[in-house]
mmCIF file of all heavy atoms in Angstrom:
data_model
loop_
_atom_site.group_PDB
_atom_site.id
_atom_site.type_symbol
_atom_site.label_atom_id
_atom_site.label_comp_id
_atom_site.label_asym_id
_atom_site.label_seq_id
_atom_site.Cartn_x
_atom_site.Cartn_y
_atom_site.Cartn_z
ATOM 1 N N SER A 1 -13.603 -39.509 -105.750
ATOM 2 C CA SER A 1 -13.548 -40.859 -105.211
ATOM 3 C C SER A 1 -14.937 -41.320 -104.778
ATOM 4 O O SER A 1 -15.654 -40.597 -104.083
ATOM 5 C CB SER A 1 -12.586 -40.902 -104.022
ATOM 6 O OG SER A 1 -12.561 -42.182 -103.436
ATOM 7 N N GLY A 2 -15.317 -42.505 -105.213
ATOM 8 C CA GLY A 2 -16.612 -43.043 -104.865
ATOM 9 C C GLY A 2 -17.689 -42.760 -105.882
ATOM 10 O O GLY A 2 -18.747 -43.388 -105.860
ATOM 11 N N TYR A 3 -17.444 -41.794 -106.775
ATOM 12 C CA TYR A 3 -18.440 -41.433 -107.785
ATOM 13 C C TYR A 3 -17.936 -41.637 -109.222
ATOM 14 O O TYR A 3 -18.708 -41.580 -110.169
ATOM 15 C CB TYR A 3 -18.883 -39.978 -107.606
ATOM 16 C CG TYR A 3 -19.573 -39.736 -106.291
ATOM 17 C CD1 TYR A 3 -18.879 -39.190 -105.215
ATOM 18 C CD2 TYR A 3 -20.908 -40.092 -106.110
ATOM 19 C CE1 TYR A 3 -19.497 -38.984 -103.993
ATOM 20 C CE2 TYR A 3 -21.540 -39.895 -104.894
ATOM 21 C CZ TYR A 3 -20.837 -39.343 -103.842
ATOM 22 O OH TYR A 3 -21.454 -39.151 -102.633
ATOM 23 N N TYR A 4 -16.640 -41.838 -109.364
ATOM 24 C CA TYR A 4 -16.026 -41.956 -110.694
ATOM 25 C C TYR A 4 -16.725 -43.023 -111.530
ATOM 26 O O TYR A 4 -17.152 -42.773 -112.662
ATOM 27 C CB TYR A 4 -14.536 -42.262 -110.537
ATOM 28 C CG TYR A 4 -13.776 -42.396 -111.835
ATOM 29 C CD1 TYR A 4 -13.062 -41.324 -112.350
ATOM 30 C CD2 TYR A 4 -13.757 -43.599 -112.543
ATOM 31 C CE1 TYR A 4 -12.358 -41.440 -113.538
ATOM 32 C CE2 TYR A 4 -13.075 -43.727 -113.726
ATOM 33 C CZ TYR A 4 -12.366 -42.644 -114.224
ATOM 34 O OH TYR A 4 -11.673 -42.770 -115.404
ATOM 35 N N ASP A 5 -16.842 -44.231 -111.004
ATOM 36 C CA ASP A 5 -17.444 -45.319 -111.766
ATOM 37 C C ASP A 5 -18.921 -45.071 -112.047
ATOM 38 O O ASP A 5 -19.424 -45.389 -113.128
ATOM 39 C CB ASP A 5 -17.274 -46.648 -111.021
ATOM 40 C CG ASP A 5 -15.822 -47.121 -111.016
ATOM 41 O OD1 ASP A 5 -15.082 -46.719 -111.923
ATOM 42 O OD2 ASP A 5 -15.458 -47.889 -110.113
ATOM 43 N N ALA A 6 -19.615 -44.503 -111.088
ATOM 44 C CA ALA A 6 -21.053 -44.297 -111.231
ATOM 45 C C ALA A 6 -21.391 -43.220 -112.257
ATOM 46 O O ALA A 6 -22.440 -43.292 -112.915
ATOM 47 C CB ALA A 6 -21.664 -43.913 -109.884
ATOM 48 N N TYR A 7 -20.505 -42.249 -112.419
ATOM 49 C CA TYR A 7 -20.809 -41.129 -113.313
ATOM 50 C C TYR A 7 -19.892 -41.111 -114.540
ATOM 51 O O TYR A 7 -20.323 -41.421 -115.649
ATOM 52 C CB TYR A 7 -20.735 -39.813 -112.536
ATOM 53 C CG TYR A 7 -21.836 -39.687 -111.516
ATOM 54 C CD1 TYR A 7 -21.560 -39.826 -110.157
ATOM 55 C CD2 TYR A 7 -23.140 -39.443 -111.903
ATOM 56 C CE1 TYR A 7 -22.573 -39.723 -109.214
ATOM 57 C CE2 TYR A 7 -24.166 -39.339 -110.973
ATOM 58 C CZ TYR A 7 -23.879 -39.483 -109.629
ATOM 59 O OH TYR A 7 -24.882 -39.383 -108.706
ATOM 60 N N TYR A 8 -18.641 -40.749 -114.342
ATOM 61 C CA TYR A 8 -17.728 -40.643 -115.488
ATOM 62 C C TYR A 8 -17.554 -41.988 -116.184
ATOM 63 O O TYR A 8 -17.606 -42.076 -117.420
ATOM 64 C CB TYR A 8 -16.376 -40.107 -115.022
ATOM 65 C CG TYR A 8 -15.389 -39.873 -116.151
ATOM 66 C CD1 TYR A 8 -15.546 -38.798 -117.026
ATOM 67 C CD2 TYR A 8 -14.316 -40.737 -116.351
ATOM 68 C CE1 TYR A 8 -14.649 -38.585 -118.060
ATOM 69 C CE2 TYR A 8 -13.415 -40.533 -117.378
ATOM 70 C CZ TYR A 8 -13.589 -39.456 -118.235
ATOM 71 O OH TYR A 8 -12.706 -39.259 -119.258
ATOM 72 N N GLY A 9 -17.385 -43.049 -115.403
ATOM 73 C CA GLY A 9 -17.206 -44.371 -115.999
ATOM 74 C C GLY A 9 -18.418 -44.810 -116.794
ATOM 75 O O GLY A 9 -18.285 -45.341 -117.907
ATOM 76 N N GLN A 10 -19.600 -44.589 -116.260
ATOM 77 C CA GLN A 10 -20.826 -44.957 -116.978
ATOM 78 C C GLN A 10 -20.986 -44.124 -118.248
ATOM 79 O O GLN A 10 -21.423 -44.630 -119.288
ATOM 80 C CB GLN A 10 -22.042 -44.762 -116.069
ATOM 81 C CG GLN A 10 -22.191 -45.807 -114.977
ATOM 82 C CD GLN A 10 -22.442 -47.200 -115.544
ATOM 83 O OE1 GLN A 10 -21.555 -48.045 -115.583
ATOM 84 N NE2 GLN A 10 -23.655 -47.421 -116.009
ATOM 85 N N ALA A 11 -20.642 -42.845 -118.175
ATOM 86 C CA ALA A 11 -20.743 -41.980 -119.359
ATOM 87 C C ALA A 11 -19.829 -42.462 -120.471
ATOM 88 O O ALA A 11 -20.193 -42.429 -121.659
ATOM 89 C CB ALA A 11 -20.405 -40.535 -118.979
ATOM 90 N N GLN A 12 -18.652 -42.937 -120.112
ATOM 91 C CA GLN A 12 -17.743 -43.458 -121.127
ATOM 92 C C GLN A 12 -18.280 -44.742 -121.753
ATOM 93 O O GLN A 12 -18.067 -45.000 -122.951
ATOM 94 C CB GLN A 12 -16.355 -43.696 -120.519
ATOM 95 C CG GLN A 12 -15.596 -42.424 -120.166
ATOM 96 C CD GLN A 12 -15.121 -41.635 -121.387
ATOM 97 O OE1 GLN A 12 -15.533 -41.879 -122.519
ATOM 98 N NE2 GLN A 12 -14.232 -40.684 -121.172
ATOM 99 N N LYS A 13 -19.009 -45.535 -120.988
ATOM 100 C CA LYS A 13 -19.638 -46.729 -121.555
ATOM 101 C C LYS A 13 -20.726 -46.346 -122.553
ATOM 102 O O LYS A 13 -20.871 -46.974 -123.612
ATOM 103 C CB LYS A 13 -20.220 -47.600 -120.438
ATOM 104 C CG LYS A 13 -19.164 -48.260 -119.554
ATOM 105 C CD LYS A 13 -19.794 -49.032 -118.399
ATOM 106 C CE LYS A 13 -18.723 -49.633 -117.491
ATOM 107 N NZ LYS A 13 -19.317 -50.335 -116.326
ATOM 108 N N VAL A 14 -21.482 -45.313 -122.227
ATOM 109 C CA VAL A 14 -22.485 -44.810 -123.168
ATOM 110 C C VAL A 14 -21.805 -44.311 -124.444
ATOM 111 O O VAL A 14 -22.290 -44.543 -125.554
ATOM 112 C CB VAL A 14 -23.328 -43.694 -122.521
ATOM 113 C CG1 VAL A 14 -24.209 -43.006 -123.565
ATOM 114 C CG2 VAL A 14 -24.178 -44.253 -121.397
ATOM 115 N N ARG A 15 -20.671 -43.637 -124.268
ATOM 116 C CA ARG A 15 -19.929 -43.155 -125.440
ATOM 117 C C ARG A 15 -19.542 -44.320 -126.350
ATOM 118 O O ARG A 15 -19.639 -44.222 -127.584
ATOM 119 C CB ARG A 15 -18.682 -42.405 -124.977
ATOM 120 C CG ARG A 15 -17.889 -41.766 -126.098
ATOM 121 C CD ARG A 15 -16.722 -40.969 -125.536
ATOM 122 N NE ARG A 15 -16.133 -40.127 -126.560
ATOM 123 C CZ ARG A 15 -15.199 -39.214 -126.341
ATOM 124 N NH1 ARG A 15 -14.756 -39.014 -125.110
ATOM 125 N NH2 ARG A 15 -14.713 -38.485 -127.324
ATOM 126 N N THR A 16 -19.153 -45.436 -125.758
ATOM 127 C CA THR A 16 -18.823 -46.628 -126.545
ATOM 128 C C THR A 16 -20.044 -47.131 -127.303
ATOM 129 O O THR A 16 -19.956 -47.500 -128.486
ATOM 130 C CB THR A 16 -18.276 -47.733 -125.629
ATOM 131 O OG1 THR A 16 -17.079 -47.273 -125.007
ATOM 132 C CG2 THR A 16 -17.971 -49.007 -126.415
ATOM 133 N N LEU A 17 -21.198 -47.142 -126.646
ATOM 134 C CA LEU A 17 -22.431 -47.591 -127.303
ATOM 135 C C LEU A 17 -22.804 -46.672 -128.465
ATOM 136 O O LEU A 17 -23.262 -47.140 -129.517
ATOM 137 C CB LEU A 17 -23.572 -47.635 -126.291
ATOM 138 C CG LEU A 17 -23.459 -48.684 -125.176
ATOM 139 C CD1 LEU A 17 -24.631 -48.553 -124.210
ATOM 140 C CD2 LEU A 17 -23.409 -50.095 -125.758
ATOM 141 N N ILE A 18 -22.612 -45.383 -128.283
ATOM 142 C CA ILE A 18 -22.896 -44.434 -129.372
ATOM 143 C C ILE A 18 -21.982 -44.708 -130.563
ATOM 144 O O ILE A 18 -22.421 -44.707 -131.719
ATOM 145 C CB ILE A 18 -22.747 -42.984 -128.860
ATOM 146 C CG1 ILE A 18 -23.886 -42.653 -127.904
ATOM 147 C CG2 ILE A 18 -22.704 -41.987 -130.025
ATOM 148 C CD1 ILE A 18 -23.709 -41.362 -127.134
ATOM 149 N N GLY A 19 -20.712 -44.966 -130.291
ATOM 150 C CA GLY A 19 -19.779 -45.310 -131.359
ATOM 151 C C GLY A 19 -20.206 -46.566 -132.108
ATOM 152 O O GLY A 19 -20.097 -46.643 -133.335
ATOM 153 N N ARG A 20 -20.723 -47.542 -131.365
ATOM 154 C CA ARG A 20 -21.184 -48.778 -132.007
ATOM 155 C C ARG A 20 -22.427 -48.524 -132.861
ATOM 156 O O ARG A 20 -22.558 -49.081 -133.957
ATOM 157 C CB ARG A 20 -21.479 -49.833 -130.939
ATOM 158 C CG ARG A 20 -20.231 -50.385 -130.259
ATOM 159 C CD ARG A 20 -20.596 -51.334 -129.129
ATOM 160 N NE ARG A 20 -19.403 -51.839 -128.443
ATOM 161 C CZ ARG A 20 -19.429 -52.551 -127.326
ATOM 162 N NH1 ARG A 20 -20.599 -52.836 -126.756
ATOM 163 N NH2 ARG A 20 -18.297 -52.960 -126.765
ATOM 164 N N ASP A 21 -23.343 -47.701 -132.355
ATOM 165 C CA ASP A 21 -24.532 -47.356 -133.142
ATOM 166 C C ASP A 21 -24.148 -46.667 -134.444
ATOM 167 O O ASP A 21 -24.715 -46.935 -135.510
ATOM 168 C CB ASP A 21 -25.442 -46.425 -132.333
ATOM 169 C CG ASP A 21 -26.368 -47.184 -131.395
ATOM 170 O OD1 ASP A 21 -26.303 -48.428 -131.369
ATOM 171 O OD2 ASP A 21 -27.149 -46.524 -130.682
ATOM 172 N N VAL A 22 -23.189 -45.756 -134.343
ATOM 173 C CA VAL A 22 -22.735 -45.022 -135.531
ATOM 174 C C VAL A 22 -22.092 -45.984 -136.529
ATOM 175 O O VAL A 22 -22.375 -45.927 -137.735
ATOM 176 C CB VAL A 22 -21.752 -43.906 -135.121
ATOM 177 C CG1 VAL A 22 -21.014 -43.365 -136.334
ATOM 178 C CG2 VAL A 22 -22.494 -42.782 -134.402
ATOM 179 N N ALA A 23 -21.237 -46.867 -136.040
ATOM 180 C CA ALA A 23 -20.578 -47.824 -136.928
ATOM 181 C C ALA A 23 -21.602 -48.721 -137.617
ATOM 182 O O ALA A 23 -21.496 -48.996 -138.833
ATOM 183 C CB ALA A 23 -19.580 -48.666 -136.134
ATOM 184 N N ALA A 24 -22.609 -49.164 -136.876
ATOM 185 C CA ALA A 24 -23.644 -50.020 -137.457
ATOM 186 C C ALA A 24 -24.457 -49.252 -138.507
ATOM 187 O O ALA A 24 -24.813 -49.796 -139.558
ATOM 188 C CB ALA A 24 -24.556 -50.551 -136.367
ATOM 189 N N ALA A 25 -24.738 -47.990 -138.215
ATOM 190 C CA ALA A 25 -25.505 -47.179 -139.164
ATOM 191 C C ALA A 25 -24.744 -46.979 -140.464
ATOM 192 O O ALA A 25 -25.320 -47.054 -141.560
ATOM 193 C CB ALA A 25 -25.840 -45.828 -138.526
ATOM 194 N N PHE A 26 -23.428 -46.756 -140.364
ATOM 195 C CA PHE A 26 -22.642 -46.524 -141.577
ATOM 196 C C PHE A 26 -22.378 -47.803 -142.369
ATOM 197 O O PHE A 26 -21.843 -47.746 -143.473
ATOM 198 C CB PHE A 26 -21.337 -45.801 -141.234
ATOM 199 C CG PHE A 26 -21.523 -44.336 -140.930
ATOM 200 C CD1 PHE A 26 -20.932 -43.752 -139.811
ATOM 201 C CD2 PHE A 26 -22.296 -43.533 -141.759
ATOM 202 C CE1 PHE A 26 -21.101 -42.402 -139.535
ATOM 203 C CE2 PHE A 26 -22.474 -42.180 -141.493
ATOM 204 C CZ PHE A 26 -21.881 -41.620 -140.371
ATOM 205 N N GLU A 27 -22.752 -48.936 -141.839
ATOM 206 C CA GLU A 27 -22.750 -50.160 -142.651
ATOM 207 C C GLU A 27 -23.952 -50.186 -143.582
ATOM 208 O O GLU A 27 -23.947 -50.879 -144.604
ATOM 209 C CB GLU A 27 -22.772 -51.389 -141.738
ATOM 210 C CG GLU A 27 -21.464 -51.608 -140.982
ATOM 211 C CD GLU A 27 -21.527 -52.818 -140.069
ATOM 212 O OE1 GLU A 27 -22.600 -53.491 -140.036
ATOM 213 O OE2 GLU A 27 -20.527 -53.116 -139.387
ATOM 214 N N GLN A 28 -24.977 -49.394 -143.250
ATOM 215 C CA GLN A 28 -26.193 -49.346 -144.056
ATOM 216 C C GLN A 28 -26.244 -48.150 -145.001
ATOM 217 O O GLN A 28 -26.838 -48.230 -146.069
ATOM 218 C CB GLN A 28 -27.419 -49.281 -143.143
ATOM 219 C CG GLN A 28 -27.515 -50.377 -142.098
ATOM 220 C CD GLN A 28 -28.642 -50.087 -141.123
ATOM 221 O OE1 GLN A 28 -29.787 -49.879 -141.514
ATOM 222 N NE2 GLN A 28 -28.316 -50.050 -139.829
ATOM 223 N N VAL A 29 -25.653 -47.020 -144.568
ATOM 224 C CA VAL A 29 -25.767 -45.773 -145.338
ATOM 225 C C VAL A 29 -24.416 -45.077 -145.431
ATOM 226 O O VAL A 29 -23.476 -45.408 -144.706
ATOM 227 C CB VAL A 29 -26.797 -44.816 -144.690
ATOM 228 C CG1 VAL A 29 -28.195 -45.427 -144.709
ATOM 229 C CG2 VAL A 29 -26.390 -44.445 -143.262
ATOM 230 N N ASP A 30 -24.344 -44.075 -146.316
ATOM 231 C CA ASP A 30 -23.105 -43.305 -146.500
ATOM 232 C C ASP A 30 -23.038 -42.098 -145.567
ATOM 233 O O ASP A 30 -21.945 -41.707 -145.129
ATOM 234 C CB ASP A 30 -23.004 -42.830 -147.949
ATOM 235 C CG ASP A 30 -22.935 -43.983 -148.926
ATOM 236 O OD1 ASP A 30 -22.069 -44.854 -148.744
ATOM 237 O OD2 ASP A 30 -23.769 -44.031 -149.863
ATOM 238 N N VAL A 31 -24.196 -41.478 -145.303
ATOM 239 C CA VAL A 31 -24.257 -40.338 -144.391
ATOM 240 C C VAL A 31 -25.511 -40.454 -143.538
ATOM 241 O O VAL A 31 -26.477 -41.115 -143.919
ATOM 242 C CB VAL A 31 -24.272 -38.971 -145.132
ATOM 243 C CG1 VAL A 31 -22.983 -38.744 -145.904
ATOM 244 C CG2 VAL A 31 -25.482 -38.866 -146.053
ATOM 245 N N LEU A 32 -25.481 -39.795 -142.383
ATOM 246 C CA LEU A 32 -26.647 -39.688 -141.516
ATOM 247 C C LEU A 32 -27.099 -38.232 -141.502
ATOM 248 O O LEU A 32 -26.265 -37.318 -141.505
ATOM 249 C CB LEU A 32 -26.304 -40.134 -140.095
ATOM 250 C CG LEU A 32 -25.862 -41.583 -139.921
ATOM 251 C CD1 LEU A 32 -25.333 -41.806 -138.507
ATOM 252 C CD2 LEU A 32 -27.017 -42.536 -140.216
#
């Protein structure tokens, strides 16, 4: 309590950004 949003919640937002980067990359190439 009190740290969930600052740590776990923020990490999940980064995970979303990584997924978006991957999706954008695969629009350009077949493999990384």
